């Protein structure tokens, strides 16, 4: 009768936190152009403008922790950080919303990206997170 000996290592992967970065908009993100009267629906040039807000959640909590980021988010539209050419401005304080005041006259689609660096308040570990809205 053989006796075998060995070691088993069990790693609990459920203890790690996960970050979820979402982008929410105050208006529909699909814009329709009416050729009969040359109008856009919704019209982003009139109030209320299109406002895209980042929301950051840590697993196990239901609180938006966007205030725990290292610096202001890095916003890009169609790969460009030149937000002005899209009539957009980014807030430098929480909730760090991106406001777009132009209709989509020069482009058929806008790919809006937001990148943040989250700082864990307990461990001070920095984690990068990115979200995209088209």
């Amino acid at each position: 009768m053989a006796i075998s000996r060995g070691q088993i290592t069990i790693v609990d992967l459920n203890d790690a936190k996960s970050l979820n970065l979402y982008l929410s908009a105050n208006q529909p993100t699909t814009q329709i152009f009416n050729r009969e009267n040359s109008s856009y629906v919704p019209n982003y040039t009139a109030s209320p403008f299109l406002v895209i807000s980042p929301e950051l959640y840590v697993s196990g909590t239901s609180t938006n922790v966007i205030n725990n980021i290292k610096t202001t988010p890095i916003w890009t539209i169609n790969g460009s950080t030149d937000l002005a050419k899209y009539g957009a401005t980014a807030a430098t304080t929480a909730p760090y919303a991106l406001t777009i005041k132009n209709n989509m006259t020069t482009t058929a689609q806008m790919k809006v990206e937001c990148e943040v660096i989250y700082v864990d308040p307990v461990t001070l570990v920095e984690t990068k997170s990115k979200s995209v809205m088209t």
Side-chain angles (χ1 to χ4, degrees), residues 3-133:
I3 298 176
S4 62
R5 295 182 184 206
Q7 182 177 5
I8 298 174
T9 302
I10 299 173
V11 178
D12 186 0
L13 299 176
N14 293 328
D15 290 342
K17 294 180 182 180
S18 65
L19 291 177
N20 295 302
L21 179 63
Y22 300 100
L23 299 179
S24 62
N26 67 331
Q27 291 198 55
T29 55
T30 300
Q31 194 174 48
I32 300 169
F33 178 70
N34 184 343
R35 291 180 191 221
E36 292 179 14
N37 61 7
S38 297
S39 66
Y40 289 88
V41 176
N43 183 3
Y44 299 149
T45 63
S47 183
F49 306 110
L50 175 62
V51 178
I52 300 172
S53 301
E55 298 177 27
L56 184 63
Y57 296 94
V58 177
S59 60
T61 66
S62 60
T63 306
N64 183 359
V65 292
I66 198 68
N67 292 329
N68 290 0
I69 61 174
K70 185 175 182 179
T71 60
T72 58
I74 298 170
W75 290 96
T76 61
I77 299 176
N78 292 341
S80 173
T81 56
D82 182 12
L83 304 177
K85 80 176 179 181
Y86 297 97
T89 56
T92 57
T93 58
Y96 303 109
L98 177 73
T99 303
I100 299 175
K101 295 183 179 180
N102 281 0
N103 290 322
M104 296 192 320
T105 57
T106 59
T107 183
Q109 181 172 312
M110 284 196 295
K111 180 180 173 185
V112 178
E113 293 183 24
C114 179
E115 183 178 303
V116 300
I117 298 174
Y118 169 75
V119 179
D120 186 286
V122 177
T123 63
L124 301 179
V125 172
E126 297 179 4
T127 307
K128 188 183 289 187
S129 185
K130 183 186 281 191
S131 186
V132 177
M133 175 184 278

